[in-house]
Amino acid sequence: MKTKEEKFTGLMLSGIPMLLVNLLFLGAIVYAMIYVIGSDLSSTLKGIFITLNVILFIFNSTFWFGFMLIEPNEARVMVFFGKYCGTVKQNGFFWVNPFYSENKLTLRARNLDGETIKVNDKNGNPILIGQVIVWKVTDTYKASFEIDNTSKSTPVTGQSVTSVNDKMRAYEHFVRVQGDAALRVVAGQYAYDNSIDEDEKMTLRAGGEDINNILEKQLNERLALAGIEVLEARINYLAYAPEIAAVMLRRQQADAIIAAREKIVEGAVGMVKLALDKLSQEGVVELDSDKKAAMVSNLLVVLCSEENAQPIINSGTLYN
């Protein structure tokens, strides 16, 4: 998305030399005032010089409002009587025209641990899902002028927000609301798991990084308007809603039991086949179809039973 952010190109001087100049200027004004008051000039001339010194003192006082200190990962949005004049991201101590309005913003990364919300997945099952977001301001123009950065914690209704903490709380509220909306969209596009539809290619539980990447893309699309970039977004909580959790747990247990039974039957069939082949190869005993069927049945019962088999000794022969 196209940005309107510009680099500040107005007059910006080093702060240390201007601090010394202002101090010397102030000292000269004070000295001149003392000298005029103690001189033997006429009252008219004294009045003129005193008035001039007062004007110079007021002029010097306004210069002190032009100093600004910018730390790493901070920025100043420069506004001159309502006109945007650019953004300063250079670190250091500077002096600019004191009539510029310097709106401070922090460009540092921030964490947002979103609250767990209840949504319906693709299959309509109610689930609980939560996310954690790492975000930061990247476009100072959009962050300052495209969205309302008034914090709900402002003490007086209608009061303009000047504290950078208030602004960041407003941005955090914006990220939280848009984050919940994006999470609801992503959760509604995929099933919790694929126990119902075995052909489901991606699910919330098994999607892993793919689901996180989709969520991150959704968030960046929504937050681009505010000049905010999402560095990382992850689902940090996922569970069925309490009203269906017990039912889904039983279903998962049933799926696990069926899978285990299938494995047991597969192994038992292989063992029975191996036993019959071994008996046939070794010539231990000759079995007709009925005897083979009885042996297969008995072996399957023994191998697939959950309880230990109770052996029964046949004193006769297989041919009786």
Side-chain angles (χ1 to χ4, degrees):
M1 187 176 292
K2 187 177 180 180
T3 177
K4 296 181 181 179
E5 180 182 285
E6 299 176 359
K7 183 179 179 181
F8 179 69
T9 57
L11 179 64
M12 187 172 67
L13 305 176
S14 178
I16 299 299
M18 286 300 300
L19 180 62
L20 297 176
V21 170
N22 271 13
L23 288 174
L24 292 175
F25 189 19
L26 179 61
I29 293 172
V30 173
Y31 176 79
M33 180 70 74
I34 295 174
Y35 176 80
V36 169
I37 292 175
S39 67
D40 55 355
L41 297 174
S42 64
S43 299
T44 303
L45 290 176
K46 280 187 177 182
I48 293 174
F49 281 118
I50 290 174
T51 302
L52 180 60
N53 280 341
V54 171
I55 294 173
L56 291 176
F57 178 78
I58 295 173
F59 186 68
N60 174 263
S61 298
T62 60
F63 272 41
W64 293 101
F65 294 98
F67 292 99
M68 64 179 183
L69 177 65
I70 304 179
E71 298 179 357
N73 282 324
E74 285 188 353
R76 297 292 187 277
V77 179
M78 311 302 290
V79 179
F80 187 72
F81 292 104
K83 180 181 179 182
Y84 172 68
C85 298
T87 302
V88 181
K89 295 183 178 179
Q90 183 179 353
N91 304 327
F93 183 52
F94 305 102
W95 181 90
V96 296
N97 187 334
F99 293 100
Y100 278 111
S101 175
E102 305 163 7
N103 298 325
K104 182 179 179 181
L105 288 177
T106 177
L107 307 179
R108 299 183 178 98
R110 289 177 172 247
N111 279 325
L112 175 63
D113 189 3
E115 296 181 358
T116 302
I117 59 176
K118 182 189 290 188
V119 299
N120 291 331
D121 69 355
K122 182 179 179 181
N123 296 326
N125 298 319
I127 61 174
L128 298 177
I129 189 169
Q131 65 181 336
V132 60
I133 304 172
V134 181
W135 62 279
K136 69 175 183 177
V137 174
T138 56
D139 191 318
T140 57
Y141 179 89
K142 292 179 180 179
S144 298
F145 306 114
E146 295 291 345
I147 65 169
D148 184 8
N149 57 12
T150 302
S151 173
K152 292 182 178 296
S153 61
T154 303
V156 181
T157 304
Q159 178 180 349
S160 61
V161 178
T162 57
S163 170
V164 65
N165 290 329
D166 287 339
K167 290 181 180 179
M168 299 314 295
R169 278 194 291 269
Y171 297 144
E172 182 175 326
H173 176 70
F174 188 85
V175 173
R176 187 183 302 277
V177 173
Q178 294 300 321
D180 287 351
L183 188 59
R184 290 179 185 276
V185 171
V186 173
Q189 291 177 345
Y190 301 95
Y192 180 91
D193 57 27
N194 59 3
S195 57
I196 295 178
D197 185 2
E198 296 296 337
D199 295 330
E200 190 75 34
K201 295 182 179 180
M202 187 182 301
T203 63
L204 296 174
R205 189 174 67 174
E209 288 298 321
D210 293 332
I211 292 293
N212 292 332
N213 292 335
I214 293 172
L215 177 61
E216 184 177 325
K217 181 180 178 182
Q218 276 278 340
L219 286 167
N220 276 317
E221 290 177 355
R222 292 172 177 270
L223 297 177
L225 172 66
I228 295 173
E229 178 185 1
V230 175
L231 304 178
E232 184 180 17
R234 290 184 174 275
I235 295 177
N236 64 344
Y237 184 86
L238 182 63
Y240 282 113
E243 56 266 29
I244 66 167
V247 176
M248 291 302 176
L249 178 60
R250 288 198 296 271
R251 191 187 72 181
Q252 291 174 355
Q253 291 173 341
D255 291 341
I257 292 173
I258 292 172
R261 289 292 184 182
E262 289 177 352
K263 196 70 176 178
I264 291 173
V265 170
E266 181 182 349
V269 170
M271 294 175 67
V272 170
K273 183 178 183 299
L274 178 62
L276 293 175
D277 292 342
K278 200 72 173 174
L279 288 172
S280 177
Q281 292 174 4
E282 298 292 337
V284 175
V285 64
E286 292 293 333
L287 300 175
D288 58 15
S289 299
D290 293 336
K291 297 295 183 179
K292 284 184 180 181
M295 178 174 252
V296 169
S297 176
N298 292 334
L299 286 175
L300 287 177
V301 170
V302 171
L303 294 173
C304 297
S305 176
E306 294 184 356
E307 299 180 357
N308 294 329
Q310 299 295 328
I312 298 176
I313 299 177
N314 187 356
S315 59
T317 67
L318 291 175
Y319 298 99
N320 290 335

